[in-house]
Amino acid sequence: GNSVTQMEGPVTLSEEAFLTINCTYTATGYPSLFWYVQYPGEGLQLLLKATKADDKGSNKGFEATYRKETTSFHLEKGSVQVSDSAVYFCALHHGSGNTGKLIFGQGTTLQVKP
Amino acid sequence: EAGVTQFPSHSVIEKGQTVTLRCDPISGHDNLYWYRRVMGKEIKFLLHFVKESKQDESGMPNNRFLAERTGGTYSTLKVQPAELEDSGVYFCASSQGFEQYFGPGTRLTVT
């Protein structure tokens, strides 16, 4: 079945460090891929998405490229800030058309220290 | 425009009791989803409504869980009787198209 695997956390970085959070998936076909973020005390927010192979999603300095050959969608940011401290979830869309469930990874907690 | 809201934000109940969680989707969104995150693990799908109909309830763990969506507006998720393993954060999401918008979640603790 479809599944998503994320790197174990927590990840602790100093401000301005480079961030990579690994995400790999198993799926039939070519699902759309997402990164969601949950800031402390808030709900999940869509951070970025990619709907087909080789697409690059980007937002707020974060980027992720849909790699079909390695079934990966790693999240990167060149210089993290304290305000990026949150839990990050990789997900794939399972379904046809515009509806259908999301399948999530286990989440990776990022803590950025000043 | 108001986002997805959930009530309560926290609930602490004893094993064997009943709890009802509520979700109010974004106005006009036909699709409503329930998800659950248990013990810091992955967020798991529970079920999907299209308007008032259950489109997919393959993720519902057992018959102690009952979800309804009266009139295709808000939805409730009732757990009866609650067990210790039901503890976790319950998220609701709604969509009209591709992107799902999530609520802040209800943290349920069963003691």
Side-chain angles (χ1 to χ4, degrees):
Chain A
N2 296 349
S3 66
V4 175
T5 302
Q6 287 180 238
M7 63 185 288
E8 292 279 340
V11 174
T12 303
L13 296 173
S14 297
E15 207 164 22
E16 299 183 3
F18 184 86
L19 168 71
T20 299
I21 300 179
N22 289 339
C23 171
T24 57
Y25 67 91
T26 301
T28 54
Y30 303 105
S32 295
L33 302 173
F34 305 84
W35 277 99
Y36 278 82
V37 58
Q38 185 180 22
Y39 298 104
E42 299 183 14
L44 289 166
Q45 300 175 23
L46 178 64
L47 181 60
L48 53 84
K49 66 184 178 187
T51 58
K52 61 183 186 294
D54 299 325
D55 265 3
K56 178 186 284 188
S58 61
N59 185 27
K60 300 182 180 180
F62 290 90
E63 293 183 340
T65 301
Y66 190 140
R67 301 286 189 198
K68 181 179 64 175
E69 62 278 9
T70 55
T71 61
S72 65
F73 193 54
H74 305 321
L75 183 68
E76 296 181 337
K77 187 174 185 181
S79 176
V80 293
Q81 306 300 312
V82 172
S83 57
D84 294 326
S85 298
V87 184
Y88 292 82
F89 295 91
C90 185
L92 65 83
H93 178 257
H94 177 84
S96 59
N98 285 339
T99 64
K101 61 188 175 187
L102 294 172
I103 296 173
F104 288 89
Q106 68 268 39
T108 302
T109 299
L110 171 65
Q111 184 178 22
V112 180
K113 296 185 174 181
Chain B
E1 178 182 311
V4 177
T5 58
Q6 294 186 244
F7 183 82
S9 56
H10 293 87
S11 180
V12 181
I13 61 172
E14 293 183 352
K15 176 182 172 180
Q17 290 185 322
T18 298
V19 64
T20 300
L21 313 181
R22 174 170 170 145
C23 168
D24 285 81
I26 293 172
S27 178
H29 281 192
D30 288 339
N31 298 287
L32 188 149
Y33 304 83
W34 283 99
Y35 294 86
R36 176 175 74 170
R37 190 184 190 206
V38 173
M39 295 275 300
K41 295 185 178 179
E42 72 270 28
I43 300 170
K44 284 193 173 181
F45 167 81
L46 295 178
L47 86 160
H48 169 207
F49 284 99
V50 177
K51 296 184 179 178
E52 67 276 8
S53 300
K54 292 175 184 175
Q55 180 78 8
D56 180 358
E57 51 185 330
S58 61
M60 294 289 265
N62 51 62
N63 59 11
R64 295 186 293 104
F65 289 75
L66 175 64
E68 296 179 323
R69 190 180 183 193
T70 307
T73 54
Y74 70 91
S75 174
T76 58
L77 179 65
K78 182 162 71 174
V79 185
Q80 179 183 28
E83 298 289 344
L84 298 178
E85 64 265 25
D86 300 332
S87 295
V89 181
Y90 290 77
F91 292 102
C92 175
S94 72
S95 74
Q96 190 59 11
F98 194 56
E99 182 174 345
Q100 295 184 20
Y101 297 84
F102 282 78
T106 294
R107 180 173 295 278
L108 174 65
T109 302
V110 183
T111 62

